[in-house]
C-alpha cells in the first residue's frame, strides 16, 4: 500500500463528488486503488456494507463479479482538503491499467431516488430525472472524456453539458465517445464503434452479460447506480496494458442499494435494456456487426 503522502486526486474522474465547494473528494494511490470518502447520513457505511455482502456472496458468478470494482475495505487517511483524517472506502481504480482512458459515466434508471428517501431528496431527483433523459430513456450521461490520439488532447465536457442533453444528443454523444475526432460536434466518425461496442468482449457483450444477471437476480435493487464504460484511447497501448481487449464495463455507486426482497430490479433493468438498444442502434447505423446475446447466467 502506498504511503498517505503519495495519494492524489484522480485525474480521470468524470462524474460524482469532487473536492470542491468544501466537499472532500476521492483520492488514488499508485498501486491501483481508489479512495472514496464515506458520505454522511450513513450513505458511505451503507455502500461499504453492500461491497462486503456482494463479495461474500458465493452464488454470484465470476463473470458478473468482473463487472464490479474490487473492494479492499476501509482506511483512514488525510482528507483531500488536508483538514484532518477521513474514512475512505478503498476500491479498485478502474482507470489504473489505461494510459489515456476514454471514460463515460451513465446514471441508470428512470427513477434515481430510493425508497425511504426524504421528500426533499425525492423532489430533487424527480426534477433531475424529468429535466434529463432519465425519465425518457431510463438513463442519462453524467460525465465523459474522450482521448483524441491525433492531437493528444482530451474532450471533456462539463456536468451542465451532459445534464442538458436531449435523447438525440445522447445518441450523438455515444457516437462521439467512439470517434477519433470527438471534438467534432456535427460529424464525429464513430470509427471505433466496432472495437469498443461491437467486438467480442466489448461494451455490448459485457452489458448483455450484466442484463442476463439482472433478469434473474432479486437480492439487490440498485437505485442511483452508474455504469462506467472505459477503453484505451491510445491504440498503441491497448493490447499490452488494458484488460478485456482494452474495453471495460463496470457498475459503480452503491450508496442507495437496497434489499431486493425477491423482486427483480425493473428500474435498473429497464434502463439497461434501453442503453443496450441505443448503443446497438448506434453500432448498427455505423455498419458494425452486433454481438449475440449470451444465455441466462446460472
Amino acid at each position: 500500500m502506498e504511503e498517505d503522502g503519495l495519494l492524489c486526486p484522480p485525474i480521470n474522474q468524470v462524474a460524482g463528488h469532487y473536492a470542491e465547494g468544501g466537499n472532500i473528494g476521492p483520492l488514488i494511490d499508485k498501486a491501483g486503488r481508489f479512495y472514496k470518502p464515506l458520505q454522511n447520513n450513513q450513505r458511505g457505511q451503507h455502500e461499504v456494507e453492500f461491497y462486503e455482502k456482494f463479495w461474500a456472496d458465493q452464488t454470484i458468478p465470476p463473470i458478473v463479479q468482473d463487472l464490479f470494482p474490487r473492494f479492499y475495505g476501509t482506511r483512514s487517511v488525510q482528507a483531500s482538503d488536508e483538514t484532518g483524517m477521513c474514512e475512505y472506502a478503498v476500491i479498485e481504480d478502474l482507470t489504473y491499467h489505461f494510459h489515456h482512458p476514454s471514460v463515460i459515466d451513465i446514471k441508470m434508471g428512470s427513477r434515481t431516488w430510493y425508497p425511504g428517501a426524504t421528500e426533499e431528496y425525492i423532489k430533487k431527483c424527480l426534477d433531475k430525472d424529468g429535466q434529463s433523459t432519465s425519465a425518457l430513456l431510463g438513463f442519462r450521461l453524467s460525465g465523459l472524456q474522450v482521448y483524441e490520439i491525433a492531437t493528444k488532447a482530451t474532450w471533456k465536457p462539463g456536468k451542465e453539458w451532459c445534464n442538458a442533453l436531449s435523447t438525440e444528443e445522447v445518441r450523438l454523444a455515444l457516437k462521439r465517445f467512439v470517434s477519433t475526432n470527438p471534438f467534432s460536434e456535427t460529424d464525429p466518425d464513430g470509427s471505433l464503434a466496432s472495437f469498443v461496442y461491437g467486438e467480442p468482449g466489448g461494451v455490448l457483450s459485457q452489458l448483455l452479460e450484466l442484463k442476463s444477471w439482472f433478469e434473474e437476480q432479486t437480492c439487490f435493487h440498485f437505485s442511483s447506480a452508474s455504469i462506467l464504460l472505459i477503453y484505451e484511447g491510445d491504440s498503441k497501448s491497448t493490447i499490452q496494458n488494458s484488460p478485456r481487449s482494452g474495453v471495460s464495463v463496470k457498475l459503480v455507486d452503491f450508496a442507495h442499494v437496497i434489499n431486493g426482497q425477491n423482486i427483480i430490479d425493473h428500474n435498473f433493468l429497464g434502463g439497461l435494456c434501453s442503453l443496450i438498444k441505443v448503443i446497438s442502434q448506434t453500432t448498427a447505423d455505423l455498419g458494425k456487426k452486433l454481438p449475440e446475446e449470451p444465455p441466462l447466467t446460472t
Side-chain angles (χ1 to χ4, degrees), residues 17-242:
H17 296 279
Y18 290 83
E20 60 185 13
N23 294 322
I24 296 175
L27 299 164
I28 57 171
D29 64 22
K30 294 184 179 181
R33 299 189 178 189
F34 183 95
Y35 294 68
K36 182 175 182 179
L38 300 189
Q39 299 181 52
N40 296 326
N41 302 321
Q42 300 300 312
R43 293 180 185 178
Q45 186 58 40
H46 188 75
E47 185 162 19
V48 168
E49 290 171 357
F50 164 78
Y51 272 116
E52 292 173 341
K53 184 176 181 180
F54 177 85
W55 286 105
D57 190 340
Q58 297 182 359
T59 68
I60 298 175
I63 198 170
V64 173
Q65 291 179 331
D66 284 345
L67 300 172
F68 287 74
R70 295 285 166 176
F71 177 63
Y72 304 109
T74 61
R75 189 179 179 205
S76 183
V77 300
Q78 183 67 239
S80 62
D81 60 0
E82 300 184 350
T83 56
M85 303 300 284
C86 177
E87 194 74 9
Y88 286 80
V90 185
I91 61 177
E92 178 185 1
D93 178 0
L94 299 176
T95 63
Y96 178 71
H97 292 284
F98 298 85
H99 286 295
H100 298 289
S102 292
V103 185
I104 191 166
D105 183 302
I106 305 171
K107 182 72 70 175
M108 300 301 296
S110 58
R111 170 185 55 75
T112 57
W113 54 270
Y114 58 97
T118 64
E119 290 186 10
E120 180 182 3
Y121 186 86
I122 292 174
K123 183 181 184 304
K124 178 182 176 181
C125 291
L126 285 172
D127 289 343
K128 254 188 195 180
D129 297 344
Q131 293 168 7
S132 67
T133 61
S134 291
L136 293 174
L137 289 177
F139 67 87
R140 67 173 180 261
L141 305 191
S142 296
L144 74 158
Q145 67 177 32
V146 188
Y147 181 75
E148 186 175 82
I149 190 170
T151 61
K152 295 181 172 56
T154 299
W155 174 56
K156 191 172 185 176
K159 290 182 181 179
E160 295 77 11
W161 185 90
C162 293
N163 291 335
L165 294 174
S166 67
T167 55
E168 287 306 312
E169 288 168 338
V170 163
R171 298 174 194 276
L172 181 59
L174 287 168
K175 183 180 178 182
R176 292 175 75 175
F177 180 63
V178 291
S179 295
T180 60
N181 59 335
F183 287 93
S184 174
E185 297 182 8
T186 58
D187 193 28
D189 57 37
S191 61
L192 301 176
S194 179
F195 162 65
V196 178
Y197 291 151
E199 289 293 312
V203 165
L204 284 173
S205 292
Q206 295 182 59
L207 289 179
L208 289 170
E209 291 169 0
L210 190 63
K211 173 177 173 284
S212 178
W213 183 64
F214 266 89
E215 288 173 333
E216 292 189 331
Q217 78 88 17
T218 59
C219 295
F220 308 107
H221 282 193
F222 291 84
S223 299
S224 198
S226 291
I227 288 178
L228 291 186
L229 310 180
I230 310 169
Y231 71 91
E232 177 56 65
D234 185 350
S235 58
K236 295 180 181 179
S237 59
T238 295
I239 296 177
Q240 182 178 356
N241 298 293
S242 301

